[in-house]
Amino acid sequence: MARTTLADMAKLLNVSKVTISKALRNHPDVSSELKTRINDLAIELGYTPNYIARNLYSRRTRTIGVVVPDVSNSFFSYAVHGIIDSADKAGYQIIVTISREEEAMERKNLNTLISMRVDGILISISQNTHNYDVFTAVKKAETPLVFFDRTLPDLGFTSVSVNDYQSAFRAVNYAIQKGYRKIAHLAGTLNTSIGRERCNGYQKALLENNLTVTDEWVIENGFTIEDGKNGFEKLWKQDNKPELIFTVNGHVASGAYAMAQKMGLKIPGDIAFIGFGFREYTDMFNPPMTIISENPDLLGRTAFATLLHEIESKTNEGPKQIVLPLELELRSSC
Amino acid sequence: MARTTLADMAKLLNVSKVTISKALRNHPDVSSELKTRINDLAIELGYTPNYIARNLYSRRTRTIGVVVPDVSNSFFSYAVHGIIDSADKAGYQIIVTISREEEAMERKNLNTLISMRVDGILISISQNTHNYDVFTAVKKAETPLVFFDRTLPDLGFTSVSVNDYQSAFRAVNYAIQKGYRKIAHLAGTLNTSIGRERCNGYQKALLENNLTVTDEWVIENGFTIEDGKNGFEKLWKQDNKPELIFTVNGHVASGAYAMAQKMGLKIPGDIAFIGFGFREYTDMFNPPMTIISENPDLLGRTAFATLLHEIESKTNEGPKQIVLPLELELRSSC
DNA sequence: CTGAAAGCGCTTACAG
DNA sequence: CTGAAAGCGCTTACAG
């Protein structure tokens, strides 16, 4: 048996589809006596409105598409959590897609979301994306889009990010004040905004303190736990070993931690750590890590609120760059 | 300017909508010369097919709805990852919704997904759900639904779960063989299938070894890190302290770990641990934890494959109960 | 208070 | 090879 439609109910009750539709939406046009009969029938038949049909007419879906590189990275899980939670409060549904850090997958996801006619898109860019043509397609489709965390400047979209450069500078500067001199950096990927900015802040802090930047101590190889392990190994193979490692995110830090401890090194005695991270994750480390404290949940909420504003405001205010400030939180890894 | 439609292009090229539609889908009906012209125009105008319209006609969306209690629980992040990844390979999109362990939110999510006309639903039930009426609505809507991890038996739906009872039994039995006698259990919520089964397995192992079940040692209070902390505190306040704790999942274990270490206790010297968990999470613990090794990614993949089968197979084979076996993996927490 | 008409953007028979 | 007709399930003017 096919699913109940307005037409089915109209026939059963000998009224028109319009009346059914109005009654179900509690439109004042319909008498309350009729409304009751219609609602009762709807429940009896298990009628559910077909949003597809409704959306086709209204040309709105109340649905937001999200593109993230990797949800096994808990930073993005928490960000998606923030997005879903605030979307729900605003009456929006979320479609989550994952690029797996692949340019082609990212493009495919974006095109699918546009074809699904989502009302807007939230994206954190893949580390391997170099071709930005798909974003001109997004522009043509007139789908509002907001970058979050990993942004793409100069494309004319709004972005929500954190003060990567300053926070990196501050953290490394703090470490230098504490007496550390030999400071390495597990840098993620410099093809991303966060990778670049955090690395720049790190270098700036060294230079301002009259320390030289040692190229072999800047390891660029991704954002995963595995990358942290490999990165630490590379670093520790060198004759000239650092005293402290500045890590680009919590996952890289946890990989480096694990590898250091596997090698029998003491933290912070043999090797100290400081870097970007967030409490739900890095507080579990042993010892807990001194972090530039990110708040992925808040980032997700802010990104959604910003996108919602773009969707619902008629006036085109032009792209905005929203930057969330971050604080240093001291623990015992450094 | 509104988005380009088939009609727009038809007018520009002086052919019918049907011809445009066919050309774009590479239908043999249209001459290749015309196809080229049409495709060129489509690219120029940035045409993207409207899936809403397409779906309304086809009465399929190639979209699957997922309902999970909490994505900040990384078990579910990994499961969702597995679902999205295999869905992508099969050409399906995923809509993720979160119940926040609330019955009302779960019901709302389910109704929304049905109205969105998803082709199927994957759900892990909230710990606070007692009223199952919404599932009769799902039945009426004829939307295929598969439970995963936390299931609801006897409702006539297919489920994909793990052998909770046997695994719990085996783990606790192993601990007893190793010489532990005073074994407590942080039990999650007994209102869920996994909570019940794991607790039953734990009790069975005690009884089979002629140990008594101590009620005060079975702490029922949820599945989060916070619950693990509280649970451990409750346990440790007691005069009669256990030697080992059997934990219902990795998050509860990590909370208990953190609290134990905060109190200055040595693991496994002062208090040992064994329990359900998965490597990506529990291997980060210090010391790494002896676990009944779950694989949320695989669970997600299996759940999706099972649902896909139900969607695509015409023959109604009736509900199936798929149970994945789990292995004990020895580390140093016990 | 009730309903006939038109349309959202597609696709599928079917006719030529 | 090309297209006119009908319809997917709704909603919005508009007329009565």
Side-chain angles (χ1 to χ4, degrees), chain A residues 102-103 106 125-132 135 152 191:
Chain A
E102 293 168 25
E103 177 175 300
E106 185 169 83
I125 209 82
S126 144
Q127 67 180 40
N128 296 311
T129 298
H130 297 91
N131 182 323
Y132 305 146
F135 292 99
L152 238 34
N191 183 45

Side-chain angles (χ1 to χ4, degrees), chain A residues 54-322:
Chain A
R54 188 180 281 180
N55 292 344
L56 179 60
Y57 187 90
S58 69
R59 262 158 278 151
R60 289 202 57 184
T61 54
R62 290 195 85 80
T63 297
I64 298 294
V66 178
V67 187
V68 284
D70 178 14
V71 278
S72 60
N73 181 331
S74 53
F75 178 86
F76 288 116
S77 316
Y78 277 90
V80 167
H81 186 275
I83 292 168
I84 295 187
D85 205 58
S86 42
D88 176 68
K89 289 192 178 100
Y92 279 76
Q93 292 302 312
I94 295 298
I95 296 179
V96 180
T97 67
I98 304 181
S99 63
R100 298 196 221 110
E101 304 278 16
E102 293 168 25
E103 177 175 300
M105 183 59 80
E106 185 169 83
R107 189 178 330 126
K108 186 186 154 200
N109 289 342
L110 246 8
N111 282 322
T112 302
L113 292 172
I114 291 172
S115 274
M116 294 178 88
R117 298 296 189 255
V118 294
D119 291 344
I121 295 175
L122 250 21
I123 182 171
S124 194
I125 209 82
S126 144
Q127 67 180 40
N128 296 311
T129 298
H130 297 91
N131 182 323
Y132 305 146
D133 289 352
V134 67
F135 292 99
T136 72
V138 174
K139 276 268 164 62
K140 272 189 186 154
E142 296 175 41
T143 305
L145 179 148
V146 168
F147 287 108
F148 71 101
D149 196 45
R150 303 193 199 165
T151 69
L152 238 34
D154 311 324
L155 251 44
F157 292 98
T158 288
S159 67
V160 177
S161 55
V162 298
N163 60 347
D164 296 294
Y165 177 81
Q166 291 164 55
S167 299
F169 174 83
R170 183 138 55 109
V172 175
N173 195 55
Y174 162 82
I176 297 170
Q177 303 312 319
K178 277 205 87 169
Y180 292 100
R181 287 292 171 273
K182 303 169 73 172
I183 302 178
H185 180 29
L186 293 177
T189 311
L190 299 183
N191 183 45
T192 59
S193 58
I194 60 170
R196 268 193 313 279
E197 295 297 311
R198 291 172 190 189
C199 189
N200 288 343
Y202 154 80
Q203 298 189 336
K204 173 77 170 172
L206 295 182
L207 296 174
E208 285 232 334
N209 288 279
N210 300 314
L211 299 172
T212 54
V213 173
T214 309
D215 283 348
E216 301 80 51
W217 281 354
V218 177
I219 309 283
E220 181 188 3
N221 66 338
F223 295 101
T224 68
I225 297 178
E226 212 49 46
D227 294 325
K229 289 184 183 168
N230 300 338
F232 184 83
E233 267 186 326
K234 256 186 223 166
L235 224 37
W236 216 252
K237 264 206 304 259
Q238 302 178 16
D239 292 331
N240 188 16
K241 292 182 173 39
E243 306 158 340
L244 175 139
I245 300 178
F246 169 59
T247 51
V248 73
N249 72 4
H251 272 64
V252 165
S254 79
Y257 252 69
M259 187 54 73
Q261 286 172 333
K262 194 173 162 191
M263 292 179 177
L265 302 173
K266 290 257 171 342
I267 301 170
D270 298 320
I271 181 71
F273 282 93
I274 194 169
F276 285 79
F278 61 102
R279 299 196 53 168
E280 292 82 354
Y281 192 69
T282 54
D283 277 9
M284 277 178 40
F285 294 9
N286 191 357
M289 180 168 163
T290 292
I291 53 170
I292 301 149
S293 179
E294 300 184 287
N295 187 337
D297 185 85
L298 177 65
L299 185 72
R301 288 174 197 281
T302 309
F304 177 80
T306 307
L307 177 63
L308 190 62
H309 180 77
E310 300 228 333
I311 291 171
E312 296 190 341
S313 71
K314 317 293 165 205
T315 65
N316 194 336
E317 305 164 9
K320 281 178 293 206
Q321 316 307 323
I322 294 173

Side-chain angles (χ1 to χ4, degrees), chain B residues 6 17 21 25 47 57:
Chain B
L6 293 187
K17 296 189 298 186
S21 170
R25 283 174 294 146
Y47 172 81
Y57 187 90

Side-chain angles (χ1 to χ4, degrees), chain B residues 66-312:
Chain B
V66 178
V67 186
V68 285
D70 177 13
V71 278
S72 60
N73 181 331
S74 53
F75 178 86
F76 288 116
S77 314
Y78 276 91
V80 168
H81 186 276
I83 292 169
I84 295 187
D85 206 59
S86 43
D88 177 68
K89 290 194 177 98
Y92 279 77
Q93 293 302 311
I94 294 298
I95 296 179
V96 181
T97 67
I98 304 181
S99 64
R100 301 197 220 110
E101 304 278 16
E102 294 167 24
E103 176 175 302
M105 183 60 80
E106 185 169 85
R107 189 178 331 127
K108 187 187 153 199
N109 289 341
L110 247 8
N111 282 322
T112 303
L113 292 173
I114 291 173
S115 274
M116 294 179 86
R117 297 298 190 253
V118 294
D119 291 344
I121 294 174
L122 249 22
I123 182 171
S124 194
I125 208 81
S126 143
Q127 68 180 39
N128 296 311
T129 298
H130 297 90
N131 182 322
Y132 306 146
D133 289 351
V134 66
F135 292 100
T136 71
V138 174
K139 276 268 165 63
K140 272 189 185 155
E142 297 175 41
T143 305
L145 179 147
V146 168
F147 287 107
F148 71 100
D149 195 47
R150 303 194 199 164
T151 68
L152 237 36
D154 311 323
L155 252 42
F157 293 98
T158 288
S159 68
V160 178
S161 56
V162 298
N163 60 347
D164 296 295
Y165 176 82
Q166 290 165 55
S167 298
F169 174 83
R170 182 138 55 111
V172 176
N173 195 55
Y174 162 83
I176 297 170
Q177 303 311 319
K178 277 203 87 172
Y180 291 101
R181 286 291 172 274
K182 303 168 74 172
I183 302 178
H185 179 30
L186 293 177
T189 312
L190 299 183
N191 183 44
T192 60
S193 57
I194 61 171
R196 266 192 315 278
E197 295 297 309
R198 292 172 191 188
C199 189
N200 288 343
Y202 154 81
Q203 299 188 336
K204 173 77 168 173
L206 294 182
L207 296 174
E208 284 232 334
N209 287 278
N210 300 314
L211 298 171
T212 54
V213 173
T214 310
D215 284 346
E216 301 81 51
W217 281 354
V218 177
I219 309 282
E220 181 189 1
N221 66 337
F223 296 100
T224 68
I225 297 178
E226 212 49 45
D227 294 325
K229 289 182 182 169
N230 300 338
F232 184 82
E233 268 185 325
K234 254 185 226 169
L235 223 38
W236 215 251
K237 264 204 306 256
Q238 303 179 14
D239 293 330
N240 188 16
K241 292 181 174 38
E243 307 157 339
L244 175 138
I245 300 178
F246 168 60
T247 52
V248 73
N249 74 3
H251 272 65
V252 166
S254 79
Y257 250 70
M259 188 53 72
Q261 287 173 333
K262 194 173 162 192
M263 292 179 176
L265 302 174
K266 290 255 170 345
I267 300 170
D270 297 320
I271 181 72
F273 282 93
I274 194 168
F276 285 79
F278 62 102
R279 299 198 52 168
E280 292 81 354
Y281 193 70
T282 53
D283 277 9
M284 278 177 40
F285 294 8
N286 190 357
M289 181 168 159
T290 291
I291 54 170
I292 300 148
S293 181
E294 300 185 286
N295 187 337
D297 186 85
L298 177 66
L299 184 72
R301 289 175 196 282
T302 309
F304 177 81
T306 307
L307 177 62
L308 190 62
H309 180 78
E310 300 228 332
I311 291 171
E312 297 189 340

